[in-house]
Structures are given as structure tokens and as C-alpha cells.
């Protein structure tokens, strides 16, 4: 028995289940698929079901004459009923995915009652409705493809970071103080009336771990009480945060380029079917390889002015500004040397021009905005204490962080990559709420 047959039939001759993703390897063979009925078109003595199993969709054909029993089971079956389907796979150019299944047997695991039909039909629905039904919406092919691309982005990111000699580690979710500004902190009533906050970034802890392990990265959820109602903001999002001892500004920018390129190339290579489901124009992603263009903050202001935008030194860039700057490049652009005054307290000042911070943002193409924010960190004790005071941050809460500058302080750098913004750009979605299974936004914590 050849390897192919062995995969399909077990010793008793019963069909072994395969996934829809694998059907290309089973042309002409009888297989079993475990999934759900996605759609059913009836045409007299022929039924054209579409099945889905989470890995893809496949069109089926069932004729009354050839398979009366299967025909009767399938006829009138409701959308999203769970089914185990057996039949022969055959190449069919016109079918989505290039194959179809000739249904010979169907076992219904649960029939969705006619009285309570699946709420999401194969037509356009409003986004508020879909978000209320998010637990069901994720079953649709487009949403499933996005979540699979998200998984590949994470896999590729971790593979890259591990390959660069960075050790995965974890920062706490409950924190005693702000990392990225007090205005977006979620306060939590901790035990015995102590106050704690949900983390905005694992960075400060990653810095401590970098002094212990050298090169590290965290990857986990972070929280911002953002009152922004834009297509780029969630209140809960995932961030990958490298932090490295003895690594300075240039090197950390290079790591950011390598990481983003590895993620994009990983998705192009391993999730091409999903990108196709999304009808993503992949030519726009193929060029995403280092080196990325770099532009100083001051040059960026000049570019904005040339394009009729009134930005001046000291302004923070919003979405409009980012879109103007990124529009002249076919890959992400790094903006560096921001005014220290508009950036976080921990950023290292430039040696020649201390009014500038060794900070960079990476802006995605096609209007997806900032996907990375990073910097070299202040390693000098006195400079850091000065910054804490200027930013009116509670020194008490930062004593442990100051310890890192008391005991063998070294230059070090890091950044945070926003997973959802990165995946939204790769998928070409309109809003980042689609790229996380259950989005948390300013007015939404259900379901
Ligand atoms: O630029 P941010 O605020 O940087 C930090 O938190 C640093 N402490 C990271 C570090 O150096 N370790 O956030 C980093 C990235 C942004 O570039 C963006 O991609 C994403 O996190 N991000 C958000 N994504 C979704 N919703 C929000 N509300 C986000 N805020 C930031
Ligand atoms: Mg930022």
C-alpha cells in the first residue's frame, strides 16, 4: 500500500478524515471531511453544498440518483449544521479552491433548527451586527483566513527573534505604574484597596530581564484606555517587545526591519491561500525586504510642508501625517530622531543634539500607520531621575527601574511591534478590529 493510500484508509477500510486544506493531495480518492455546512444550493435532483472545516471551504455535489440516502440527509439542511462528509475528491477548475467533493455519505452531528437559523447569512451585514455576533462571525471564510494569517505572523515573528538569539520572556499584566503616559492607564482595584494598573507595555520589565539574560523579547497583551475611535486603536492589543543589552540605536532599527520583513515573507510563503481569500494584492507586500527607507523627524516635517501639511518642529504626527510620509515608499519607512519633548521619559537623548531622542517609529505603507515604536533607553542614573521628575512620575514606584542604572548599567535598546496593526496591513483590512478574535474597543467589551 502506497503512502498516499495509507493516509486515507485505515486497516478496517474506513475513511480517515483529512482537512480541506489537504484535498489537493487526494485527487481521485475517497476521503472524509469533518466540518460544517456553509451553504446549500438546491437544483432539482442535484444539491450543491459548500462545506467548511476551518482550514478552507470546498464545494460538493450530491445527485439523488447516485446517492439517494446522502441526498435525503442533505436536502433542506440548515446552514452551520455540523456534518461528517464522505466522498470522492476531484479537480474542478471552476470550483473555489480548484477541487470539489462528490458526496456519497453524510452524517449529521447537529442540525441547526429551522426555527433558530444561523444569524449570519451570505449577504452583507452591518459591522455593528457582525461585532455583536463576533463569536459566530469568525466562522466565515474571510475572518478565518485573517485569524490564520495572524497565527502565521506570530509564528514567523518568534522564529525570527529566536534565530537572532533573543530569549522569549514575560512581563506582568498588573503593574504599579505607567510606562507610556498616565492618560491611557486602566486602573484596577487590586487586593485590600491597593491600586494597580493593567500594563501598557512590557518594556520596563523587559529592560530588567535584558540585564539578566542579554537579549530578550516579550509577547503578550497590553492595555490602553484609549479614547480614540479610529481604525487603528484597540484597548487591548498584542505587542512583541525586544529589549537588548549593549545594543544601540542603529542596531535596534535594523532588528525592526528584519522582524517586519520576516513576518511579511512568512505570510506570503505559508498563507498564500488565505491572502487569496482576502483578495489581497500581494505585489504590494513582496518588496517588504530590508533595507527600509529612513528619514529623520526634521526631514519628515519638511516633506509634510512640501505636501501642504502645516506640521512644525515639536508636533506629534497623527494618522494623516503618517500617511503622507509613507505614501512615497513601497515598504515601511522609519522616522527617527524625534523631539525628546513629545516622546516617552525613558528615551536616550542624542549626544550631539540632546533636544532629540534616539527614538524611531516604523510606519507601514498604504495608510496603516505606526506599527513599531522604539528607542535606545537612558542608561545614566541622573539623567533618568531628571526625566522622571520632568514627567511628574512617582519616583517611589520606579525605584526598581532605577536599580537597573545603579548596578552595572549599559546602553540598551528595544521596541514594541503592534501585532494587530501589522496583521491589518498585511491582510489589507479596513479596521484592526477584524484581526483579533475578540476585539476590545472604546465602546465594546461584548462578546
Ligand atoms: O509606540 P508605543 O506606545 O510604544 C511602547 O509602548 C514602547 N514601550 C514599546 C517598546 O519600546 N518596548 O506602542 C508600540 C506599538 C505601536 O507602534 C503600535 O503598533 C501599537 O504598539 N499600538 C497599538 N495598537 C493597537 N491599539 C492601540 N491602542 C495601540 N497603541 C499602540
Ligand atoms: Mg508610539
Amino acid at each position: 500500500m502506497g503512502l498516499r493510500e495509507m493516509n486515507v484508509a485505515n486497516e478496517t477500510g474506513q475513511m480517515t478524515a483529512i482537512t480541506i486544506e489537504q484535498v489537493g493531495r487526494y485527487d481521485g480518492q475517497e476521503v472524509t471531511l469533518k466540518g460544517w455546512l456553509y451553504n446549500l444550493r438546491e437544483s432539482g435532483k442535484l444539491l450543491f453544498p459548500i462545506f467548511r472545516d476551518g482550514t478552507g471551504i470546498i464545494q460538493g455535489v450530491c445527485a439523488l440518483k447516485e446517492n439517494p440516502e446522502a441526498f435525503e440527509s442533505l436536502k433542506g439542511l440548515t446552514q452551520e449544521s455540523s456534518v461528517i462528509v464522505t466522498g470522492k475528491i476531484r479537480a474542478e477548475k471552476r470550483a473555489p479552491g480548484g477541487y470539489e467533493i462528490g458526496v456519497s455519505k453524510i452524517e449529521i452531528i447537529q442540525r441547526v433548527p429551522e426555527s433558530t437559523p444561523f444569524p449570519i447569512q451570505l449577504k452583507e451585514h452591518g459591522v455593528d451586527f457582525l461585532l455583536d455576533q463576533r463569536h459566530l462571525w469568525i466562522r466565515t471564510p474571510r475572518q478565518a483566513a485573517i485569524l490564520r494569517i495572524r497565527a502565521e505572523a506570530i509564528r514567523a515573528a518568534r522564529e525570527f527573534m529566536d534565530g537572532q538569539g533573543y530569549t522569549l520572556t514575560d512581563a506582568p499584566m498588573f503593574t504599579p505604574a505607567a510606562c507610556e503616559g498616565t492618560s491611557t492607564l486602566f486602573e484596577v482595584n487590586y487586593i485590600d484597596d491597593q491600586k494597580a494598573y493593567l500594563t501598557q507595555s512590557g518594556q520596563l520589565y523587559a529592560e530588567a530581564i535584558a540585564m539578566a539574560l542579554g537579549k530578550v523579547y516579550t509577547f503578550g497583551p497590553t492595555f490602553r484606555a484609549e479614547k480614540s475611535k479610529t481604525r487603528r486603536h484597540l484597548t487591548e492589543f498584542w505587542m512583541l517587545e525586544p529589549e537588548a543589552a549593549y545594543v544601540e540605536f542603529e542596531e535596534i532599527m535594523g532588528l525592526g526591519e528584519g522582524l517586519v520583513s520576516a513576518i511579511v515573507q512568512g505570510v506570503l510563503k505559508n498563507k498564500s491561500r488565505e491572502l487569496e481569500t482576502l483578495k489581497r494584492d500581494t505585489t504590494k507586500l513582496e518588496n517588504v525586504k530590508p533595507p527600509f527607507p529612513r528619514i529623520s523627524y526634521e526631514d519628515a516635517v519638511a516633506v509634510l510642508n512640501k505636501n501642504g501639511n502645516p506640521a512644525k518642529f515639536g508636533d506629534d504626527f497623527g494618522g494623516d501625517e503618517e500617511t503622507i510620509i509613507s505614501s512615497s515608499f513601497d515598504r515601511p519607512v522609519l522616522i527617527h530622531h524625534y523631539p525628546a519633548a513629545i516622546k516617552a521619559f525613558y528615551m536616550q537623548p542624542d549626544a550631539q543634539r540632546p533636544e532629540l531622542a534616539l527614538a524611531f517609529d516604523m510606519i507601514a505603507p498604504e495608510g496603516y500607520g505606526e506599527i513599531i515604536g522604539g528607542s535606545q533607553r537612558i542608561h545614566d542614573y541622573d539623567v533618568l531621575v531628571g526625566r522622571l521628575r520632568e514627567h511628574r512620575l512617582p519616583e517611589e514606584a520606579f525605584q526598581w527601574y532605577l536599580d537597573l542604572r545603579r548596578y552595572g548599567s549599559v546602553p540598551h535598546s528595544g521596541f514594541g511591534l503592534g501585532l494587530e496593526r501589522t496583521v491589518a496591513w498585511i491582510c489589507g483590512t479596513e479596521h484592526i478590529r477584524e484581526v483579533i478574535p475578540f476585539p476590545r474597543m472604546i465602546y465594546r467589551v461584548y462578546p
Side-chain angles (χ1 to χ4, degrees):
M1 191 191 268
L3 191 60
R4 257 168 128 200
E5 285 87 341
M6 261 171 47
N7 281 338
V8 183
N10 65 22
E11 277 152 35
T12 60
Q14 248 188 344
M15 291 302 129
T16 303
I18 65 159
T19 61
I20 292 172
E21 189 175 43
Q22 300 167 329
V23 295
R25 286 185 242 155
Y26 296 94
D27 190 11
Q29 298 181 54
E30 183 145 283
V31 301
T32 292
L33 300 172
K34 297 182 172 179
W36 295 263
L37 182 69
Y38 175 59
N39 189 29
L40 180 64
R41 192 160 58 83
E42 311 198 354
S43 169
K45 292 174 181 170
L46 277 179
L47 299 176
F48 299 100
I50 296 177
F51 302 106
R52 64 166 196 89
D53 74 346
T55 74
I57 60 171
I58 188 166
Q59 180 177 298
V61 190
C62 186
L64 170 64
K65 215 163 115 199
E66 286 151 33
N67 294 291
E69 224 174 288
F71 186 95
E72 285 314 319
S73 304
L74 198 52
K75 196 170 156 44
L77 189 61
T78 38
Q79 193 191 339
E80 283 305 308
S81 291
S82 38
V83 289
I84 297 180
V85 187
T86 299
K88 198 181 247 182
I89 300 295
R90 51 182 176 247
E92 168 55 68
K93 276 207 198 85
R94 288 161 300 177
Y99 292 90
E100 68 178 19
I101 182 166
V103 180
S104 53
K105 194 175 152 218
I106 188 151
E107 183 186 343
I108 297 168
I109 306 304
Q110 192 240 340
R111 176 188 292 271
V112 174
E114 306 254 355
S115 55
T116 54
F118 191 67
I120 301 172
Q121 255 86 77
L122 277 75
K123 58 163 194 180
E124 293 277 316
H125 287 286
V127 77
D128 275 328
F129 171 82
L130 290 170
L131 283 167
D132 283 339
Q133 305 291 336
R134 183 64 177 166
H135 52 299
L136 305 175
W137 187 24
I138 50 180
R139 297 185 186 195
T140 58
R142 189 184 144 77
Q143 297 303 313
I146 292 171
L147 295 184
R148 290 163 71 83
I149 289 171
R150 176 187 171 98
E152 170 60 24
I154 295 169
R155 191 206 61 74
R158 290 193 45 182
E159 180 184 77
F160 175 80
M161 293 307 301
D162 296 345
Q164 297 292 310
Y166 282 69
T167 300
L168 179 65
T169 189
D170 302 290
M173 297 293 109
F174 289 129
T175 62
C179 176
E180 292 300 316
T182 47
S183 65
T184 60
L185 273 181
F186 276 111
E187 193 177 303
V188 181
N189 194 358
Y190 202 62
I191 291 160
D192 289 341
D193 285 335
Q194 281 184 84
K195 263 190 211 160
Y197 307 94
L198 293 182
T199 187
Q200 297 168 307
S201 156
Q203 178 196 323
L204 306 187
Y205 295 94
E207 285 183 56
I209 307 168
M211 296 307 142
L213 303 184
K215 294 180 172 183
V216 300
Y217 68 105
T218 62
F219 177 58
T222 46
F223 306 88
R224 305 271 170 102
E226 297 267 14
K227 291 273 165 63
S228 348
K229 234 186 137 180
T230 78
R231 61 197 193 91
R232 297 169 182 175
H233 287 91
L234 297 169
T235 53
E236 178 180 326
F237 63 96
W238 285 63
M239 220 199 297
L240 189 150
E241 298 184 84
E243 194 69 37
Y246 290 107
V247 165
E248 300 191 29
F249 192 46
E250 283 290 319
E251 193 176 340
I252 205 68
M253 287 198 282
L255 185 78
E257 290 176 348
L259 173 61
V260 168
S261 155
I263 294 172
V264 170
Q265 297 305 325
V267 172
L268 282 173
K269 178 161 172 258
N270 299 318
K271 288 288 171 273
S272 56
R273 272 167 14 106
E274 283 77 5
L275 289 168
E276 211 173 291
T277 301
L278 302 179
K279 301 192 170 71
R280 179 65 164 119
D281 178 359
T282 52
T283 58
K284 292 195 167 137
L285 297 173
E286 275 148 20
N287 289 336
V288 180
K289 290 182 183 154
F292 295 173
R294 296 180 184 187
I295 177 173
S296 73
Y297 170 88
E298 284 167 314
D299 288 346
V301 169
V303 169
L304 288 170
N305 294 162
K306 219 182 273 168
N307 283 275
N309 181 293
K312 53 184 191 316
F313 185 90
D315 290 352
D316 210 353
F317 297 155
D320 292 345
E321 286 76 22
E322 289 170 353
T323 303
I324 295 173
I325 296 162
S326 66
S327 66
S328 38
F329 304 107
D330 67 345
R331 59 197 83 190
V333 53
L334 282 74
I335 306 176
H336 55 85
H337 285 91
Y338 282 83
I342 59 169
K343 285 290 182 183
F345 74 93
Y346 51 71
M347 292 182 176
Q348 174 73 13
D350 182 82
Q352 269 73 54
R353 296 185 58 194
E355 75 278 16
L356 300 180
L358 297 182
F360 77 102
D361 282 354
M362 188 188 289
I363 314 299
E366 301 176 68
Y368 283 88
E370 178 195 326
I371 51 174
I372 284 184
S375 74
Q376 186 166 328
R377 322 306 192 187
I378 294 174
H379 56 270
D380 182 83
Y381 179 88
D382 294 323
V383 176
L384 186 57
V385 169
R387 280 298 164 79
L388 286 172
R389 288 182 188 153
E390 276 167 38
H391 285 255
R392 295 175 201 285
L393 289 163
E395 265 170 74
E396 295 292 293
F398 286 94
Q399 282 310 311
W400 69 269
Y401 188 63
L402 286 165
D403 271 352
L404 308 178
R405 280 74 182 168
R406 289 187 181 105
Y407 305 113
S409 190
V410 298
H412 61 288
S413 307
F415 63 77
L417 170 120
L419 179 71
E420 287 76 17
R421 291 204 192 159
T422 306
V423 175
W425 157 52
I426 294 172
C427 291
T429 64
E430 209 170 287
H431 194 297
I432 69 170
R433 64 191 162 209
E434 276 184 83
V435 310
I436 186 165
F438 293 96
R440 297 293 173 246
M441 292 175 289
I442 168 167
Y443 297 124
R444 178 169 295 276
V445 284
Y446 177 91

